[in-house]
Short mmCIF file of all heavy atoms in Angstrom, two decimals:
data_model
loop_
_atom_site.label_atom_id
_atom_site.label_comp_id
_atom_site.label_asym_id
_atom_site.label_seq_id
_atom_site.Cartn_x
_atom_site.Cartn_y
_atom_site.Cartn_z
N GLY A 23 -16.54 59.02 86.14
CA GLY A 23 -17.67 59.42 86.96
C GLY A 23 -17.26 60.40 88.03
O GLY A 23 -16.07 60.61 88.30
N ARG A 24 -18.24 61.01 88.66
CA ARG A 24 -17.94 61.96 89.72
C ARG A 24 -17.47 61.20 90.96
O ARG A 24 -18.09 60.22 91.38
CB ARG A 24 -19.18 62.79 90.04
CG ARG A 24 -18.90 63.97 90.95
CD ARG A 24 -19.94 65.06 90.76
NE ARG A 24 -21.28 64.60 91.03
CZ ARG A 24 -22.38 65.27 90.70
NH1 ARG A 24 -22.28 66.43 90.07
NH2 ARG A 24 -23.57 64.76 90.99
N GLU A 25 -16.37 61.65 91.54
CA GLU A 25 -15.78 60.97 92.68
C GLU A 25 -15.62 61.92 93.86
O GLU A 25 -15.45 63.13 93.68
CB GLU A 25 -14.42 60.37 92.32
CG GLU A 25 -13.37 61.41 91.94
CD GLU A 25 -12.02 60.81 91.63
OE1 GLU A 25 -11.84 59.59 91.86
OE2 GLU A 25 -11.13 61.54 91.16
N GLY A 26 -15.66 61.37 95.04
CA GLY A 26 -15.46 62.17 96.23
C GLY A 26 -14.01 62.57 96.39
O GLY A 26 -13.10 61.78 96.13
N VAL A 27 -13.79 63.80 96.82
CA VAL A 27 -12.45 64.32 97.07
C VAL A 27 -12.21 64.49 98.56
O VAL A 27 -11.21 64.01 99.10
CB VAL A 27 -12.23 65.66 96.33
CG1 VAL A 27 -10.84 66.21 96.64
CG2 VAL A 27 -12.42 65.48 94.83
N ALA A 28 -13.11 65.19 99.23
CA ALA A 28 -12.98 65.42 100.66
C ALA A 28 -14.32 65.83 101.23
O ALA A 28 -15.13 66.46 100.54
CB ALA A 28 -11.93 66.51 100.94
N THR A 29 -14.56 65.48 102.48
CA THR A 29 -15.81 65.83 103.15
C THR A 29 -15.52 66.34 104.55
O THR A 29 -14.48 66.03 105.14
CB THR A 29 -16.79 64.64 103.23
OG1 THR A 29 -16.21 63.59 104.02
CG2 THR A 29 -17.12 64.11 101.84
N ILE A 30 -16.47 67.11 105.07
CA ILE A 30 -16.37 67.60 106.44
C ILE A 30 -17.76 67.57 107.05
O ILE A 30 -18.74 67.97 106.42
CB ILE A 30 -15.75 69.02 106.48
CG1 ILE A 30 -15.54 69.47 107.93
CG2 ILE A 30 -16.59 70.02 105.71
CD1 ILE A 30 -14.64 70.70 108.04
N ALA A 31 -17.85 67.07 108.27
CA ALA A 31 -19.11 66.92 108.96
C ALA A 31 -19.39 68.12 109.86
O ALA A 31 -18.53 68.98 110.07
CB ALA A 31 -19.12 65.63 109.77
N SER A 32 -20.58 68.15 110.42
CA SER A 32 -20.97 69.24 111.29
C SER A 32 -20.12 69.30 112.55
O SER A 32 -19.99 70.37 113.16
CB SER A 32 -22.45 69.13 111.67
OG SER A 32 -22.72 67.89 112.29
N ASP A 33 -19.53 68.17 112.95
CA ASP A 33 -18.63 68.15 114.10
C ASP A 33 -17.18 68.43 113.71
O ASP A 33 -16.28 68.26 114.53
CB ASP A 33 -18.73 66.82 114.85
CG ASP A 33 -18.24 65.64 114.03
OD1 ASP A 33 -17.86 65.82 112.87
OD2 ASP A 33 -18.26 64.51 114.58
N ASP A 34 -16.96 68.82 112.45
CA ASP A 34 -15.66 69.20 111.90
C ASP A 34 -14.75 68.01 111.61
O ASP A 34 -13.58 68.21 111.27
CB ASP A 34 -14.93 70.19 112.80
CG ASP A 34 -15.55 71.58 112.78
OD1 ASP A 34 -16.22 71.91 111.78
OD2 ASP A 34 -15.37 72.32 113.76
N SER A 35 -15.24 66.80 111.74
CA SER A 35 -14.45 65.66 111.32
C SER A 35 -14.34 65.67 109.80
O SER A 35 -15.27 66.07 109.09
CB SER A 35 -15.07 64.35 111.81
OG SER A 35 -16.37 64.17 111.28
N THR A 36 -13.20 65.23 109.30
CA THR A 36 -12.94 65.30 107.86
C THR A 36 -12.53 63.95 107.31
O THR A 36 -12.07 63.07 108.04
CB THR A 36 -11.84 66.33 107.54
OG1 THR A 36 -10.61 65.92 108.16
CG2 THR A 36 -12.22 67.71 108.04
N SER A 37 -12.71 63.82 106.02
CA SER A 37 -12.27 62.65 105.30
C SER A 37 -11.74 63.10 103.95
O SER A 37 -12.36 63.94 103.29
CB SER A 37 -13.41 61.65 105.12
OG SER A 37 -13.00 60.51 104.40
N VAL A 38 -10.60 62.57 103.55
CA VAL A 38 -9.98 62.93 102.29
C VAL A 38 -9.71 61.66 101.50
O VAL A 38 -9.26 60.66 102.05
CB VAL A 38 -8.66 63.71 102.51
CG1 VAL A 38 -8.04 64.09 101.19
CG2 VAL A 38 -8.92 64.95 103.36
N ALA A 39 -10.00 61.72 100.22
CA ALA A 39 -9.77 60.57 99.35
C ALA A 39 -8.30 60.18 99.35
O ALA A 39 -7.41 61.03 99.50
CB ALA A 39 -10.23 60.87 97.94
N ASP A 40 -8.04 58.89 99.18
CA ASP A 40 -6.66 58.41 99.18
C ASP A 40 -5.80 59.15 98.16
O ASP A 40 -4.63 59.46 98.41
CB ASP A 40 -6.63 56.91 98.89
CG ASP A 40 -7.17 56.08 100.04
OD1 ASP A 40 -7.27 56.60 101.17
OD2 ASP A 40 -7.48 54.90 99.81
N SER A 41 -6.38 59.45 97.00
CA SER A 41 -5.63 60.11 95.95
C SER A 41 -5.23 61.54 96.30
O SER A 41 -4.32 62.10 95.69
CB SER A 41 -6.44 60.11 94.64
OG SER A 41 -7.65 60.83 94.81
N ALA A 42 -5.92 62.12 97.28
CA ALA A 42 -5.65 63.50 97.67
C ALA A 42 -5.05 63.62 99.07
O ALA A 42 -4.67 64.73 99.47
CB ALA A 42 -6.94 64.32 97.61
N GLU A 43 -4.95 62.52 99.79
CA GLU A 43 -4.44 62.55 101.15
C GLU A 43 -3.04 63.14 101.18
O GLU A 43 -2.17 62.77 100.40
CB GLU A 43 -4.44 61.14 101.73
CG GLU A 43 -3.98 61.06 103.19
CD GLU A 43 -4.95 61.75 104.12
OE1 GLU A 43 -6.18 61.59 103.93
OE2 GLU A 43 -4.49 62.45 105.05
N GLY A 44 -2.83 64.06 102.12
CA GLY A 44 -1.54 64.70 102.26
C GLY A 44 -1.34 65.89 101.36
O GLY A 44 -0.36 66.63 101.54
N ARG A 45 -2.23 66.08 100.39
CA ARG A 45 -2.12 67.20 99.47
C ARG A 45 -3.28 68.17 99.58
O ARG A 45 -3.10 69.37 99.40
CB ARG A 45 -2.03 66.70 98.03
CG ARG A 45 -0.84 65.78 97.77
CD ARG A 45 -0.73 65.41 96.29
NE ARG A 45 -1.91 64.69 95.81
CZ ARG A 45 -2.72 65.13 94.84
NH1 ARG A 45 -2.47 66.29 94.24
NH2 ARG A 45 -3.75 64.40 94.47
N PHE A 46 -4.46 67.66 99.87
CA PHE A 46 -5.67 68.48 99.93
C PHE A 46 -6.14 68.59 101.37
O PHE A 46 -6.06 67.63 102.15
CB PHE A 46 -6.81 67.86 99.12
CG PHE A 46 -6.60 67.87 97.62
CD1 PHE A 46 -5.40 68.24 97.06
CD2 PHE A 46 -7.66 67.51 96.79
CE1 PHE A 46 -5.22 68.25 95.68
CE2 PHE A 46 -7.49 67.52 95.42
CZ PHE A 46 -6.27 67.89 94.86
N THR A 47 -6.66 69.76 101.72
CA THR A 47 -7.23 69.99 103.04
C THR A 47 -8.59 70.65 102.90
O THR A 47 -8.72 71.66 102.21
CB THR A 47 -6.31 70.90 103.88
OG1 THR A 47 -5.02 70.31 104.01
CG2 THR A 47 -6.91 71.09 105.27
N ILE A 48 -9.60 70.07 103.53
CA ILE A 48 -10.93 70.65 103.52
C ILE A 48 -11.16 71.37 104.84
O ILE A 48 -10.74 70.92 105.90
CB ILE A 48 -12.01 69.57 103.29
CG1 ILE A 48 -13.39 70.20 103.10
CG2 ILE A 48 -12.01 68.54 104.42
CD1 ILE A 48 -14.46 69.22 102.64
N SER A 49 -11.82 72.51 104.77
CA SER A 49 -12.12 73.28 105.96
C SER A 49 -13.37 74.11 105.71
O SER A 49 -13.85 74.20 104.58
CB SER A 49 -10.95 74.19 106.36
OG SER A 49 -10.67 75.14 105.34
N LYS A 50 -13.90 74.71 106.76
CA LYS A 50 -15.07 75.55 106.62
C LYS A 50 -15.01 76.70 107.60
O LYS A 50 -14.38 76.62 108.66
CB LYS A 50 -16.35 74.75 106.81
CG LYS A 50 -16.48 74.09 108.17
CD LYS A 50 -17.77 73.28 108.28
CE LYS A 50 -17.87 72.59 109.63
NZ LYS A 50 -19.13 71.83 109.78
N ASP A 51 -15.68 77.77 107.23
CA ASP A 51 -15.84 78.93 108.09
C ASP A 51 -17.34 79.08 108.30
O ASP A 51 -18.05 79.57 107.42
CB ASP A 51 -15.25 80.18 107.44
CG ASP A 51 -15.29 81.39 108.35
OD1 ASP A 51 -16.15 81.46 109.24
OD2 ASP A 51 -14.44 82.29 108.16
N ASN A 52 -17.81 78.63 109.43
CA ASN A 52 -19.25 78.62 109.69
C ASN A 52 -19.84 80.03 109.69
O ASN A 52 -20.97 80.24 109.24
CB ASN A 52 -19.55 77.93 111.01
CG ASN A 52 -19.27 76.45 110.98
OD1 ASN A 52 -19.41 75.81 109.94
ND2 ASN A 52 -18.88 75.89 112.12
N ALA A 53 -19.09 81.00 110.20
CA ALA A 53 -19.59 82.37 110.25
C ALA A 53 -19.83 82.94 108.86
O ALA A 53 -20.70 83.78 108.67
CB ALA A 53 -18.62 83.26 111.03
N LYS A 54 -19.05 82.49 107.90
CA LYS A 54 -19.18 82.96 106.52
C LYS A 54 -19.94 81.99 105.63
O LYS A 54 -20.11 82.26 104.44
CB LYS A 54 -17.80 83.21 105.92
CG LYS A 54 -17.00 84.30 106.60
CD LYS A 54 -15.65 84.50 105.93
CE LYS A 54 -14.86 85.61 106.58
NZ LYS A 54 -13.53 85.81 105.93
#
C-alpha cells in the first residue's frame, strides 16, 4: 500500500518515516 515517507507543515516542522530517517530530507521553497 501507499506509505508516508516524509511530511512538512506550514510552520516548517518535518516528520520522516522510520525507514527513511537519517537518509531522506524533506524541504520546501515557498517562493517557488
